[in-house]
Amino acid sequence: MYTVQQLIDSGLFALLNKGDETEREITVPFCCDLLSVAMGRAPAGCAWVTVMGNMNTLAVASLTDAACVIMAEGCTLDETASAKARVQGITVLKTDLPIFEAALAVHEKLSGGGLC
């Protein structure tokens, strides 16, 4: 089991907002920037890697029960989304890595690999 808190503590990503459920298990990384697709396909407990930093992203993260959101490629949340993340208790992380590499780093942590 690998938790959101362990991902925060790993130092792989910068913390934008520490949510309420940091002891929650991360089940799988999930990559998607099309919110309608993410809404239908993001698995519960995923670490969702995206470049979409708006309030709708947080709504989809909440709806799909994502464990956390990782903003990739140097993207960040806009002010409204940042405030919404705090109110909803959603953990949001940030990285300059491309989406695939960020998801791969999460995958390596989940599988106990030593590459990251």
Side-chain angles (χ1 to χ4, degrees):
M1 178 169 125
Y2 196 82
T3 68
V4 173
Q5 186 62 53
Q6 287 174 299
L7 188 60
I8 292 168
D9 294 342
S10 74
L12 287 173
F13 307 110
L15 181 63
L16 294 179
N17 186 69
K18 187 171 183 176
D20 298 335
E21 298 182 11
T22 57
E23 294 307 315
R24 184 160 181 210
E25 179 181 6
I26 298 172
T27 57
V28 65
F30 176 75
C31 303
C32 187
D33 289 325
L34 189 56
L35 297 179
S36 60
V37 172
M39 192 167 27
R41 296 189 181 170
C46 70
W48 179 17
V49 185
T50 184
V51 297
M52 300 295 294
N54 60 44
M55 194 163 66
N56 293 334
T57 300
L58 297 175
V60 172
S62 180
L63 178 70
T64 60
D65 200 25
C68 64
V69 175
I70 301 170
M71 301 300 304
E73 301 187 24
C75 295
T76 192
L77 298 175
D78 62 33
E79 283 186 41
T80 304
S82 186
K84 188 73 164 177
R86 286 189 297 276
V87 168
Q88 289 189 319
I90 298 172
T91 297
V92 183
L93 305 164
K94 177 185 174 186
T95 183
D96 288 331
L97 292 172
I99 292 171
F100 175 78
E101 290 179 25
L104 182 60
V106 173
H107 172 75
E108 288 294 326
K109 290 296 184 184
L110 297 179
S111 64
L115 295 179
C116 298

